[in-house]
């Protein structure tokens, strides 16, 4: 958010800050306590938000910049997830793909309120309008959760540059076909379908 330069600065600053915070504080966290682990994720997002917000305020060219942010910290058979914005995390288990984050977008609110259907949301002219993002306010309000991560489960973390261009069913099929080449295949598919936004994705599988 905030143009190419602002968005690039915000996303790089946020990911580096969140990762650094987790690395610096993971040893002080009780790994056996899910609430402590969720607090670590929440605090990492708050820290990243503070740095992005302060940076945006300090430079006129970066005013109003912001970013989405997804965190997936895997420990044993659990995944601790932090989410803000409209990037997404999916879990593929057996033959089912399930979106486990909820978009912080205007159209998602309309869907939740029953004003429009999920199908209508896909074509809505304001589908990219965010209700929440990182770095836009002094305090972030992320969703933080814990999900099971079993053998053969796959997590897909991706930006809307992928999900706006490729259907969930197509994503599932490509990931299940060959996880090693799936990232490149998904980026190619999104670009072939229009590719008007940047496409970022990470795939994690438990063998």
């Amino acid at each position: 958010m905030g143009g190419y330069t602002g968005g690039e600065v915000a996303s790089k600053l946020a990911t580096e800050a969140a990762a650094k915070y987790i690395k610096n504080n993971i040893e002080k966290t009780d790994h056996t306590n899910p609430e402590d682990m969720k607090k670590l994720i929440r605090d990492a997002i708050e820290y990243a938000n503070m740095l992005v917000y302060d940076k945006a305020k300090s430079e006129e060219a970066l005013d109003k910049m912001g970013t989405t942010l997804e965190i997936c910290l895997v420990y044993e058979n659990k995944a601790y997830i932090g989410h803000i914005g409209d990037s997404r995390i999916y879990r593929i288990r057996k033959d089912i793909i399930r979106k486990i984050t909820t978009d912080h977008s205007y159209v998602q609110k309309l869907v939740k309120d029953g004003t429009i259907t999920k199908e209508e949301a896909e074509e809505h002219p304001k589908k990219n309008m965010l209700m929440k993002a990182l770095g836009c306010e002094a305090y972030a309000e992320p969703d933080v959760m814990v999900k099971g991560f079993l053998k053969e489960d796959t997590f897909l973390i991706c930006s809307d540059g992928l999900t706006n261009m490729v259907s969930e069913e197509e994503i599932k099929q490509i990931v299940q076909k060959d996880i090693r080449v799936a990232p490149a295949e998904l980026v190619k598919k999104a670009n072939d379908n229009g590719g008007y936004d940047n496409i970022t994705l990470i795939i994690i599988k438990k063998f």
Side-chain angles (χ1 to χ4, degrees):
M1 296 171 52
Y4 180 80
T5 301
E8 187 177 27
V9 170
S11 59
K12 186 173 189 293
L13 185 58
T15 51
E16 290 179 352
K20 180 180 178 181
Y21 187 93
I22 290 171
K23 288 176 183 177
N24 288 345
N25 291 277
I26 188 72
E27 294 304 322
K28 308 169 193 173
T29 304
D30 182 356
H31 303 162
T32 65
N33 187 331
E35 291 305 313
D36 278 9
M37 294 289 278
K38 285 165 64 177
K39 183 178 185 300
L40 174 66
I41 299 297
R42 187 180 299 279
D43 289 348
I45 294 175
E46 291 285 3
Y47 175 68
N49 184 79
M50 178 185 69
L51 293 189
V52 174
Y53 182 77
D54 287 349
K55 183 75 171 176
K57 294 298 180 186
S58 68
E59 295 185 35
E60 187 176 346
L62 301 177
D63 185 42
K64 293 183 172 57
M65 76 171 180
T67 183
T68 65
L69 181 65
E70 307 299 312
I71 294 176
C72 184
L73 175 61
V74 176
Y75 181 73
E76 294 184 343
N77 64 343
K78 292 185 175 63
Y80 297 91
I81 289 167
H83 160 74
I84 188 166
D86 64 351
S87 292
R88 297 176 176 179
I89 299 181
Y90 290 89
R91 183 176 63 193
I92 301 173
R93 175 173 288 174
K94 295 183 179 177
D95 198 40
I96 298 173
I97 183 169
R98 176 169 295 170
K99 182 163 69 76
I100 59 176
T101 54
T102 301
D103 295 352
H104 293 142
S105 64
Y106 175 68
V107 294
Q108 180 59 43
K109 182 179 184 300
L110 295 181
V111 171
K112 185 178 179 182
D113 293 342
T115 306
I116 63 172
T117 65
K118 288 182 180 179
E119 291 72 26
E120 288 172 331
E122 292 300 320
E123 304 298 328
H124 198 282
K126 294 184 178 179
K127 65 180 296 183
N128 293 322
M129 181 184 292
L130 294 182
M131 304 295 285
K132 286 184 188 180
L134 187 139
C136 298
E137 302 289 342
Y139 297 98
E141 296 181 30
D143 295 340
V144 180
M145 65 196 87
V146 56
K147 296 291 181 180
F149 193 35
L150 307 178
K151 186 177 180 182
E152 299 302 322
D153 279 358
T154 303
F155 275 105
L156 168 69
I157 308 169
C158 61
S159 67
D160 63 348
L162 176 66
T163 52
N164 283 339
M165 296 288 107
V166 186
S167 71
E168 292 181 5
E169 183 60 29
E170 287 179 299
I171 289 171
K172 185 192 75 172
Q173 290 175 0
I174 291 171
V175 171
Q176 288 182 322
K177 185 177 179 181
D178 188 339
I179 193 173
R180 294 168 298 179
V181 300
E185 287 290 321
L186 287 169
V187 170
K188 183 178 185 304
K189 185 75 172 177
N191 279 322
D192 288 347
N193 289 348
Y196 60 78
D197 202 353
N198 57 43
I199 307 153
T200 305
L201 66 106
I202 296 173
I203 298 175
I204 310 166
K205 182 165 185 175
K206 188 168 187 177
F207 293 97

